[in-house]
Amino acid sequence: MAVTGVAAVATGGVLVSQGHAKTHAVADTSTSQQIGSVEAQDAENYWTPQRLASATPVGGPKAAAPSTGPSASPSPGTMGGRSVTAQSVPKSAAFGGIPTVGAVFFNNGKGNHYCTASVIHSYSKSLLLTAAHCIHGGRGGGYSRNVAFVPKFDNGKRPYGIWSAKMLLVDKRWASKSDPDLDYGFIAVNPRSGRKIEQVVGYNKLATDEGAGNWVNVAGYPSRSNRPIYCKTKTAKAFKYQIRMDCTGFYGGTSGSPWLLWYNTKSHTGYVNGVIGGYQEGGSVSWRSYSPYFDSDVYNLRKAADNRA
C-alpha cells in the first residue's frame, strides 16, 4: 500500500565524512527512507497502550518458541573449547531499564512487532542504533512502517514518551542480500517538544575495531518478560565478522540490544560495540547471542545516517 510523504533514498557515490572524524571521502553503501511529518504523527498515534502490549518479537530463531524456559540454563556442551555448564553461563536479571535504551515498535507488513534500540551519539543528536532486520526485511523485503521508540520502556510505562521515526537507514548489502555481517541499522527520530532525544535521555558512543574478549553490559527487551533485562558478560570471536556473548534470558525482542563497553554505572552510558543480530538474526537459543563485528562499515553507516537525519 502506497503511503504519501514517504520517500525512499538509495545513494552510491562518495560520502564526505563529517562530524566525529577528520574529513575524508568514503564509499557510501547505505540506503535509506525518509518519513514525512504526517506519517510520523500517525505512527505516534498508532501505538496505543493496547498495541504496545500486543506487539510480538520480529521473526528469527530467537523469536520462535524456545526449547528452554525463561530461567533455564543451557544444556551442557562446549563454548570456545571449554565445557558449558549451568554454572558457567551468566544469568540475566530484570531491572528498571536505562534512559538510553528502549523498545522500538514497528509494523513490517506481517503484524506489530518490537525490538531493542539505543541512542547513539551523533551531531544530529537524533540517532538510534538497532539490528537491520528490525527495520528492513533484507533480501526481497522493504522498510518497516509505524516505527516508534520508547526509551526506558518498563512494564508498559513510558517515562520519556514515544519518539516517532523520520528516517530509516541500513547498508545496501543488507537490503539486497541479507548479509548477516551487516545486520545493523540506524533510525533518526523526530524531536519532542522542541528537544532532540540526546538532550532528553543522553547517549552512548560508538566503538569500533575493539576485537573480542571484552566485558560488556547488554540490555534488552525479551519476549518472556514485561521488563527489560541486563547482563554483564564477556565477548568472544564467533566467525570472521561475528562476535558472540553468552547469557541466559535473551529471547526474541532483544534483537538490537546494545553491547556496552566501559559501562558507567553512574551515568548509565557506555560505548556500543555490538548489537544482538547477525548470525541467525542474533542466535537460535536464548543463552547465546551474536553481533556483527563493528568496524569501519558501521562507522561509515552512522555518518551517512547523521548526514540525512
Side-chain angles (χ1 to χ4, degrees), residues 6 17 28 51 106 141 156 180:
V6 178
S17 167
D28 183 359
R51 286 193 174 120
F106 54 92

Side-chain angles (χ1 to χ4, degrees), residues 2-308:
V3 179
T4 59
V6 178
V9 180
T11 63
V14 173
L15 170 70
V16 177
S17 167
Q18 300 180 43
H20 294 76
K22 295 179 180 179
T23 300
H24 64 286
V26 297
D28 183 359
T29 62
S30 67
T31 175
S32 64
Q33 183 177 80
Q34 299 289 333
I35 300 168
S37 58
V38 173
E39 287 70 34
Q41 185 61 55
D42 288 345
E44 185 173 335
N45 295 335
Y46 180 82
W47 290 107
T48 62
Q50 293 75 21
R51 286 193 174 120
L52 292 172
S54 63
T56 60
V58 73
K62 280 183 181 288
S67 59
T68 54
S71 61
S73 297
S75 300
T78 59
M79 178 176 65
R82 64 182 175 84
S83 174
V84 172
T85 66
Q87 289 75 33
S88 66
V89 177
K91 292 178 172 59
S92 63
F95 76 130
I98 56 177
T100 61
V101 178
V104 58
F105 294 88
F106 54 92
N107 187 296
N108 63 359
K110 299 178 181 179
N112 295 328
H113 300 291
Y114 69 93
C115 284
T116 301
S118 59
V119 182
I120 197 79
H121 190 37
S122 65
Y123 274 124
S124 66
K125 296 181 173 60
S126 302
L127 294 185
L128 312 176
L129 174 59
T130 188
H133 70 260
C134 296
I135 57 175
H136 191 287
R139 181 172 55 198
Y143 282 101
S144 299
R145 299 187 183 278
N146 290 323
V147 179
F149 178 61
V150 184
K152 204 181 179 183
F153 188 64
D154 180 17
N155 203 22
K157 297 177 182 177
R158 296 166 286 172
Y160 298 99
I162 297 177
W163 298 70
S164 61
K166 66 175 181 177
M167 189 273 298
L168 309 174
L169 181 143
V170 298
D171 194 289
K172 287 189 287 189
R173 293 164 288 180
W174 168 263
S176 63
K177 301 177 182 178
S178 297
D179 187 339
D181 296 336
L182 297 160
D183 188 7
Y184 39 70
F186 292 88
I187 304 168
V189 294
N190 288 295
R192 282 180 59 86
S193 302
R195 301 181 71 194
K196 296 184 176 182
I197 194 161
E198 280 195 19
Q199 297 169 323
V200 176
V201 303
Y203 55 82
N204 299 295
K205 294 184 177 180
L206 182 66
T208 61
D209 294 306
E210 293 295 334
N214 300 308
W215 286 99
V216 292
N217 283 66
V218 184
Y221 288 83
S223 58
R224 292 198 168 191
S225 173
N226 291 323
R227 310 198 69 194
I229 61 170
Y230 77 95
C231 186
K232 184 175 182 180
T233 186
K234 205 170 188 179
T235 66
K237 184 175 180 179
F239 310 106
K240 185 176 181 180
Y241 295 113
Q242 298 277 324
I243 56 176
R244 62 172 171 80
M245 66 91 173
D246 288 338
C247 187
T248 63
F250 282 84
Y251 298 102
T254 57
S255 287
S257 295
W259 299 20
L260 296 172
L261 287 171
W262 313 305
Y263 181 73
N264 186 312
T265 56
K266 292 184 178 180
S267 66
H268 302 297
T269 60
Y271 288 72
V272 184
N273 192 225
V275 294
I276 291 182
Y279 179 62
Q280 297 178 327
E281 293 190 355
S284 61
V285 292
S286 63
W287 55 270
R288 174 164 289 177
S289 301
Y290 296 86
S291 170
Y293 183 71
F294 274 21
D295 54 17
S296 60
D297 282 326
V298 68
Y299 183 84
N300 293 334
L301 203 65
R302 193 273 307 271
K303 289 188 289 186
D306 207 8
N307 285 347
R308 297 182 208 165

